[in-house]
């Protein structure tokens, strides 16, 4: 048995074991488990083909204008400024664009979708597995860029209409706020992602999603449905 299959089995076991006793996401949860878009501000209701700006040309949960907008330094999607502590290095910013593309455009995140209650979205992702190597590269590429916070989901000063550092928060290079690659990948967006596997063994996300869909249709309880409050 090769290492890729062993890793996939561990991921499948972790996902099914973590299922617990949560209720289905909604009425379609047991019949429409793949090709699902989150219930958020910018997601489509159903995935469909779009221009290939985020690697999802055949099936995307984002509109073309969404994928175009998220490539900007300050996007109108959320008025979020990557350069809140000075110019972010292009190599660093590239990872944030890829990360946002995954969140906004991927139709394969159903096993990690949780219901929440926020004004701008009713669902979020939690602990989506990311490649260990990608987290390490992201961390290395951002070490010389600057930020003033470790959790970018909340706590910003929005009085100007875009995110600014809160009072008393000092701009430092990424390393003091994110001492390890795992800290960057996992803490940055309130545990939306989890550093789990080695890319040398392949990315099992799609196969995990398929397996999970089969397991759920066979009667296993839904995982990503508990209410989580992460603030605004």
């Amino acid at each position: 048995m090769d290492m890729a299959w062993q890793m996939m089995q561990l991921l499948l076991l972790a996902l099914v074991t973590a299922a617990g006793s949560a209720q289905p996401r909604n009425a379609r949860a047991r019949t429409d488990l793949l090709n699902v878009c989150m219930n958020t501000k910018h997601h489509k209701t159903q995935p469909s083909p779009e221009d290939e700006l985020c690697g999802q040309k055949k099936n995307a949960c984002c509109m073309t204008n969404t994928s175009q907008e998220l490539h900007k330094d300050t996007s109108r999607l959320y008025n979020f400024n990557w350069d809140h502590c000075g110019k972010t290095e292009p190599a660093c910013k590239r990872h944030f664009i890829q990360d946002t593309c995954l969140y906004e455009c991927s139709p394969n995140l159903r096993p990690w979708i949780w219901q929440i209650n926020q004004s701008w979205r009713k669902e979020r992702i939690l602990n989506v597995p990311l490649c260990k190597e990608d987290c390490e590269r992201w961390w290395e590429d951002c070490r010389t860029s600057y930020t003033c916070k470790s959790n970018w989901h909340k706590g910003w000063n929005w009085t100007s209409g875009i995110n600014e550092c809160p009072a008393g928060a000092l701009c430092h290079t990424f390393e003091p706020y994110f001492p390890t690659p795992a800290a960057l990948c996992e803490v940055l967006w309130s545990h939306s992602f989890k550093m789990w596997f080695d890319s040398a063994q392949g990315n099992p996300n799609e196969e995990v999603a398929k397996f999970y869909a089969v397991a759920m249709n066979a009667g296993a309880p839904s995982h990503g449905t508990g209410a989580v409050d992460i603030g605004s």
Side-chain angles (χ1 to χ4, degrees), residues 104-117:
E104 296 288 349
C105 301
S106 175
N108 297 318
L109 297 174
R110 171 63 187 95
W112 302 279
I113 294 176
W114 288 67
Q115 292 178 351
I116 57 175
N117 185 19

Side-chain angles (χ1 to χ4, degrees), residues 30-81:
R30 298 210 182 272
T31 58
D32 188 10
L33 299 171
L34 296 175
N35 298 322
V36 170
C37 299
M38 280 183 282
N39 181 3
T40 74
K41 184 176 182 180
H42 300 294
H43 281 76
K44 300 177 186 175
T45 302
Q46 297 289 336
S48 60
E50 290 287 342
D51 289 344
E52 195 172 6
L53 287 179
C54 275
Q56 298 289 341
K57 182 176 182 179
K58 295 182 179 179
N59 209 29
C61 283
C62 61
M63 302 290 288
T64 298
N65 62 338
T66 299
S67 59
Q68 291 173 336
E69 193 65 31
L70 62 84
H71 284 76
K72 298 179 180 179
D73 288 343
T74 302
S75 167
R76 290 195 302 269
L77 295 178
Y78 303 105
N79 292 328
F80 195 93
N81 180 20

Side-chain angles (χ1 to χ4, degrees), residues 194-215:
K194 185 174 181 64
M195 190 175 78
W196 269 18
F197 59 90
D198 189 332
S199 66
Q201 311 306 328
N203 185 332
N205 284 12
E206 186 172 347
E207 292 302 318
V208 169
K210 289 179 181 178
F211 178 93
Y212 204 89
V214 172

Side-chain angles (χ1 to χ4, degrees), residues 124 126-130 135 138 150-153 178 180-197:
R124 66 161 293 186
L126 187 67
N127 292 330
V128 174
L130 289 186
C135 287
W138 189 353
S150 57
N151 188 326
W152 288 16
H153 248 154
F178 306 107
T180 65
L184 175 59
C185 280
E186 297 177 6
V187 177
L188 180 72
W189 300 123
S190 299
H191 300 281
S192 292
F193 302 104
K194 185 174 181 64
M195 190 175 78
W196 269 18
F197 59 90

